[in-house]
Amino acid sequence: MLTQLNKMEEFKRTEIASLGEFGLIDHLTKHVEVKNNSTLKGIGDDAAVLDYKEKQVLVTTDLLLEGIHFDLTYVPLKHLGYKSAVVNFSDIYAMNGQPKQITVSLGISKRFSVEDLEQLYAGIQLACDVYHVDLIGGDTSASLTGLAISITCIGEANKEKIVYRNGAKENDLICVSGDLGAAYMGLQLLEREKKVFAGEKNFQPAFEGREYLLERQLKPEARKDIIKELAKRNIVPTAMMDISDGLSSELLHICKQSHTGCRIYEERIPIDYQTAVMAEEFNMSLITAALNGGEDYELLFTVPLAKHDDISALPGIRIIGHITAPSLGAYMITRDGAEIELKAQGWNSLNEEN
Amino acid sequence: MLTQLNKMEEFKRTEIASLGEFGLIDHLTKHVEVKNNSTLKGIGDDAAVLDYKEKQVLVTTDLLLEGIHFDLTYVPLKHLGYKSAVVNFSDIYAMNGQPKQITVSLGISKRFSVEDLEQLYAGIQLACDVYHVDLIGGDTSASLTGLAISITCIGEANKEKIVYRNGAKENDLICVSGDLGAAYMGLQLLEREKKVFAGEKNFQPAFEGREYLLERQLKPEARKDIIKELAKRNIVPTAMMDISDGLSSELLHICKQSHTGCRIYEERIPIDYQTAVMAEEFNMSLITAALNGGEDYELLFTVPLAKHDDISALPGIRIIGHITAPSLGAYMITRDGAEIELKAQGWNSLNEEN
């Protein structure tokens, strides 16, 4: 998939000014076709028009800024487009809903050519195709500095099926899909290669055997499949979030909003082999990467204890602990039986990066 | 209103890092209360949840970047917040709908303090109060450079009442609310004062007698009142847009999408006295400001000829011309009877400013 995304045609450079703002939007969106019945009117008017009938409407939004959320030295624009869309879909799945439409607003400096934006849009379009989502509008304007991408995703859900963060109950099982920490390790790997070989042209970085880490960082997927499996088995989680800021941070959100505590077990936290090898190589704490790394876009959810067997039968889901009374706090039990209090480190970009 | 908005408390400076990302969002949104029945769940989960029942859902979005869309040397943050919200409401009214919810995403550099963001949010909140709109979510992150504001507005409309850009018919009357060109003149005035007195402290710029121009630039309103009046009189326009990029540009959009031409009359274009005086002082073409100035946020719409008397009876609406066959092109008839072809100059920020 990564290779497929990398097939870029970088020969031509058309200046954006040659198309103008409206011309550019027309050019980038000319292949957009409507896929969902709920999309009555997409691009081309003051607002898009949607018909959700008896369904509830879910809305989520993200603003991604160059230098803060992404680094174009190692992120291809097509991947960036794909990821920007997918992380929004992930928020809708985390409500137990289905993403249906997105709007995309771009702020672009003249460093970017029309072909660059075609790549970005190709990634967004691919994500829309894979997840069956309609691109219904947006806004394109100049930016004095880097690239700014603002995406809003609209989705649908049945009222009785929506899962909030505040429904976790004492003794509920805490579940996680997939594995954690790989996206963070992928980022460390990209950052290292960038630093070590800065300025050296035609350099092939040492990514072999680490494709999974790169894919998790550069081209994450939203867990549509898990939502589908849960629905098929009539399991409605009591609380759910997607893991974008790290397991610790998200779990604390659920505990805070549900007025509960929690216990999770270090040995139960799912971690991929490549993540572990990389942490070793970097001499970093593996469990810290899994707890606080972020950008995993896996689902974190709680289910009643009675669902234990149903959940255990689900491939790709790990039960990592249980919800407790609020007075017991939020702790991880380490392999040697010690209790470590969970902290919301996450990606606090407002502190770290500025 | 301008004076009221200007009462800022600029004594205190709290660093954003002292609150952290989640702390900041909590702090800025703690007074947010839900006003609309359609808002089931606002801030605080992966996505907001809305219930639109049998109504259609309208979605519009805008990305505003410092240095491109606003200049903080002369735009107070509270005004900026107010305007950022209102311009999105305007897009929903332009569909003949009612704005109900907004999401607000901010990218902020450390130049800004918590108090600055409180001002920005105070402006957004004031706009939400005045227009009865709920703030339902968003995203706050660091920015390496200036301020980035991304707003998505969601609104509702009855299916049979939605007005698109593509419904104008031959012989329809072309109507405009309010007056045009004042916001553009307000911008020229602010730019002049900024240039002339750059660096001079305690300078009081020469704004007296030009309050209307400044208000149009700094604190525009969306024409909710016109939408209400049209509904009261059972008038559903055949096509409608809000004028953000200038009359010429918007009219050409309607003609293109409706496959028509148009004739408008210079002498019919509504212009305020202060706008005319300012154009004279600046030695600028008044009609160019009215045609291409932009940021008026007035409504441009077409109605069947049969509605002539109904429309004429409406205060604040001017009939400026009529829709023609497409072969006749899009022209303005000047005061001396010449025909000038309309061009979409608008605010092509991708060409001009970068």
Side-chain angles (χ1 to χ4, degrees), chain A residues 20 24 49 70 123 125 128-129 161 178 188 216-217 220 227 297:
Chain A
L24 177 67
V49 182
F70 56 89
Q125 195 58 59
C128 285
D129 290 345
K161 295 284 171 63
Q188 300 310 311
R216 292 288 282 177
Q217 172 56 227
I227 295 302
Y297 302 106

Side-chain angles (χ1 to χ4, degrees), chain B residues 89-123:
Chain B
F89 303 161
S90 181
D91 278 321
I92 299 291
Y93 291 122
M95 302 295 289
N96 206 24
Q98 297 289 332
K100 293 290 172 182
Q101 289 91 12
I102 54 167
T103 63
V104 176
S105 293
L106 301 178
I108 42 183
S109 74
K110 71 174 174 192
R111 196 174 104 225
F112 297 94
S113 67
V114 173
E115 287 76 14
D116 290 336
L117 298 179
E118 282 171 359
Q119 286 301 320
L120 185 71
Y121 258 78

Side-chain angles (χ1 to χ4, degrees), chain B residues 176-180 212 216 223 226 270-271 298-299 316-318:
Chain B
V176 164
S177 66
D179 61 82
L180 303 180
Y212 180 67
R216 293 287 281 175
R223 300 309 304 262
I226 300 288
I271 293 171
E298 294 295 342
L299 292 170
I317 301 286
R318 186 79 69 88

Side-chain angles (χ1 to χ4, degrees), chain A residues 322-334:
Chain A
H322 58 271
I323 296 291
T324 66
S327 58
L328 296 180
Y331 287 87
M332 179 179 75
I333 318 294
T334 64

